Amino acid sequence: MTHTFVGMPPFPVAAREALADTQLRHNLGHATATIRGKRDQVVAEVENWEELRLAGAAVKDRALRGLDQHLVQLEESLTDRGATVHWARDAVEANRIVVDVARRHRVDEVVKVKSMVTQEIGLNEALQAEGIAAWETDLAELIVQLGGDLPSHILVPAIHRNRAEIREIFRSKMGGVGRAAPSELSDDPAALAAAARAHLREKFLRARMAVSGANFAVAETGTLVVVESEGNGRMCLTLPDVLVSVVGIEKVVPTWAELDPLLRLLPRSSTGERMNPYTSTWSGVIPGDGPQEVHVVLLDNGRTRALADEVGRQALRCIRCSACLNVCPVYERVGGHAYGSVYPGPIGAILNPLLKGTGDPQTDSLPYASSLCGACFEACPVRIDIPEVLVHLRSKVVDGHRDDRIPKPEAVAMRSASWTFAGGRRLGRAERLTRLGIGVGRRFGAARWTATRDLPTPPKESFRAWWKRTDGRLDR
């Protein structure tokens, strides 16, 4: 179970493979349609939904504008409450901090709350390299881990699996890493959940260290917030002696009061619920209650790079609800693995290039993994204009290849068009050859492009020829 996203092919290659998997497409279509329906129903109950979206976006923007001050305040508030705060510039530093804490306490296993940021930095692999097992306790994450798989959705990482596949994973894999699944296990959801509960319970009771992320971090009070639906988070946050929380610096919220719109937006946009079944908050160490040693790792890992991008910084508003994935026609057909990252779908198509920078073929392909239909912006609870950022990032990808020694065919075509359009005589001659050029292009040069698109049928007479013949009079 050491799969990573390293070495994933560019999106078009991966998407082509995913499209050939009919079972995957069926699973995705059914799951995304169900989530969309639930979300639409509970959103329709809120009369001022648009005002709530504006309020959520304003809270996140205020936090990002004063991020340096809010982070310092968060550190002070956490330290005052007995927590130890660490700063990590990248994945290597963050992993080293967590591994060092585990070594100091001589633990050989940790339990984890579902945390995308720890997947982002490859924490499980870093711990495994040191002989420390990291057990995922979210049901969907457990399925992914036992199956030696990769997550394919922000909210439902095992969305690409159906019940029959999950049953086989539980029956064949659980016994190798803990309590085995019942031999007569069926694919009934209640039976699958019961098998997972029994398997995880012994790990909760045995583990001395837990690792979490955080949905939000309140600077004013030094409070971390985790929202979840299964109760596994509450077990991880209260039972072990040591708790390490890895938190992206964009998760900071200035004040407790400003949590209000975010906690109303998140459950409706993610799970289609009016409120989260479990909302856990904790502030440092409480003597005799819960973990007696708390560490908080504040992670950059490209976030300051994204913050410096005036157009792209709005992506840091993201509250990881996955609403954009569930309405995206591209994601619904190819799934999350094709994006080659822990952050799939429309938000992943902009977040990955912003965090990593452009220049890598796989990352450079992501801004093009969209039809620009705009459904993602309409669904986003904090109004991230994903299509705007996608177009912005496409321009960055193009700019990065302007000085290539061997220009791409597209660049050659654009330069040729620019030279042609810059002169009236050249344009006139080109117009006379339009019909011939399009015919040749359909058969040869643009064959791949026209496989899914139509080139317009050229007019029998160009505008210039018509004007010369009629002197611009419509009655001729």
Side-chain angles (χ1 to χ4, degrees):
M1 292 178 283
T2 59
H3 290 292
T4 68
F5 290 96
V6 175
M8 289 290 287
F11 181 84
V13 177
R16 192 173 297 113
E17 294 177 2
L19 285 169
D21 189 336
T22 55
Q23 184 63 57
L24 172 68
R25 295 180 65 179
H26 172 78
N27 294 349
L28 289 168
H30 173 73
T32 54
T34 300
I35 298 171
R36 278 199 308 271
K38 291 178 63 180
R39 176 195 175 274
D40 292 346
Q41 184 176 356
V42 294
V43 165
E45 297 173 354
V46 183
E47 293 183 4
N48 62 337
W49 179 252
E50 202 58 34
E51 288 79 2
L52 196 58
R53 291 178 73 205
L54 288 166
V59 168
K60 295 294 288 184
D61 282 344
R62 186 170 101 81
L64 294 171
R65 282 195 300 269
L67 188 59
D68 54 343
Q69 299 172 23
H70 300 316
L71 287 172
V72 170
Q73 184 184 17
L74 176 64
E75 179 186 31
E76 292 173 349
S77 300
L78 284 165
T79 303
D80 289 344
R81 288 161 175 79
T84 301
V85 177
H86 309 263
W87 298 83
R89 284 172 290 193
D90 53 29
V92 173
E93 288 190 4
N95 287 334
R96 186 173 64 245
I97 291 165
V98 180
V99 168
D100 286 347
V101 173
R103 279 177 177 167
R104 191 162 61 249
H105 289 275
R106 294 185 174 88
V107 301
D108 58 5
E109 64 178 354
V110 301
V111 288
K112 291 182 62 194
V113 189
K114 179 174 179 288
S115 167
M116 301 199 70
V117 74
T118 59
Q119 295 170 358
E120 174 191 330
I121 63 177
L123 178 61
N124 287 12
E125 291 75 23
L127 289 168
Q128 187 177 45
E130 299 296 327
I132 303 166
W135 304 119
E136 299 291 350
T137 64
D138 174 85
L139 177 56
E141 290 288 358
L142 175 66
I143 295 165
V144 168
Q145 186 178 41
L146 290 175
D149 205 348
L150 294 169
S152 63
H153 190 275
I154 289 176
L155 182 69
V156 194
I159 195 173
H160 56 288
R161 297 288 194 183
N162 60 33
R163 292 184 297 171
E165 292 172 317
I166 295 168
R167 179 191 61 186
E168 291 308 310
I169 289 172
F170 281 8
R171 291 177 63 181
S172 62
K173 301 294 185 180
M174 271 186 173
V177 293
R179 181 166 180 168
S183 58
E184 70 282 2
L185 180 66
S186 71
D187 64 359
D188 177 68
L192 294 172
R197 185 181 301 114
H199 177 82
L200 290 171
R201 184 57 59 101
E202 64 178 22
K203 298 185 186 301
F204 288 133
L205 296 175
R206 185 178 65 222
R208 294 186 293 116
M209 175 173 163
V211 176
S212 83
N215 294 92
F216 309 106
V218 183
E220 177 185 48
T221 58
T223 302
L224 302 186
V225 183
V226 162
V227 297
E228 39 112 6
S229 300
E230 300 170 18
N232 61 301
R234 189 70 56 84
M235 301 285 277
C236 288
L237 298 172
T238 56
L239 290 177
D241 300 323
V242 181
L243 173 63
V244 181
S245 300
V246 184
V247 184
I249 57 175
E250 84 282 11
K251 298 295 186 180
V252 69
V253 176
T255 65
W256 183 267
E258 285 170 297
L259 273 178
D260 173 56
L262 300 175
L263 288 177
R264 286 193 283 159
L265 288 164
L266 180 54
R268 292 177 186 268
S269 297
S270 57
T271 55
E273 297 171 298
R274 297 176 183 86
M275 64 181 293
N276 292 100
Y278 294 89
T279 299
S280 301
T281 67
W282 69 101
S283 304
V285 175
I286 306 297
D289 184 11
Q292 295 303 288
E293 185 176 324
V294 173
H295 296 262
V296 178
V297 182
L298 297 176
L299 176 70
D300 184 343
N301 206 38
R303 285 155 176 79
T304 52
R305 179 207 296 271
L307 187 63
D309 189 313
E310 292 186 2
V311 177
R313 68 175 54 141
Q314 59 184 298
L316 296 179
R317 294 181 197 156
C318 179
I319 57 176
R320 307 293 191 267
C321 69
S322 77
C324 61
L325 281 70
N326 299 326
V327 299
C328 177
V330 177
Y331 175 86
E332 185 176 357
R333 285 157 180 79
V334 303
H337 292 161
Y339 294 83
S341 166
V342 66
Y343 302 115
I347 188 62
I350 63 173
L351 197 56
N352 289 300
L354 287 167
L355 294 178
K356 300 175 184 178
T358 54
D360 173 74
Q362 195 278 331
T363 305
D364 285 358
S365 70
L366 294 178
Y368 297 92
S370 171
S371 65
L372 299 179
C373 67
C376 48
F377 171 66
E378 296 300 328
C380 178
V382 288
R383 295 178 56 85
I384 301 171
D385 193 341
I386 293 177
E388 177 189 34
V389 183
L390 285 168
V391 172
H392 167 67
L393 290 171
R394 289 180 185 185
S395 71
K396 286 200 164 192
V397 172
V398 172
D399 289 343
H401 291 283
R402 291 196 186 279
D403 296 327
D404 288 355
R405 291 184 60 186
I406 302 177
K408 293 184 176 182
E410 180 186 15
V412 173
M414 290 299 103
R415 289 173 187 172
S416 300
S418 176
W419 178 81
T420 301
F421 291 165
R425 290 184 179 178
R426 292 194 292 270
L427 179 59
R429 287 194 292 269
E431 287 176 345
R432 289 195 291 272
L433 297 173
T434 297
R435 293 179 67 84
L436 175 63
I438 288 181
V440 172
R442 280 184 174 140
R443 295 198 61 182
F444 301 103
R448 290 180 62 187
W449 195 85
T450 56
T452 54
R453 306 171 182 85
D454 289 328
L455 282 174
T457 302
K460 295 180 180 180
E461 185 178 35
S462 71
F463 176 80
R464 287 169 178 262
W466 171 81
W467 186 274
K468 186 176 181 179
R469 179 174 60 81
T470 64
D471 196 27
R473 293 176 58 183
L474 297 176
D475 58 346
R476 292 189 180 184

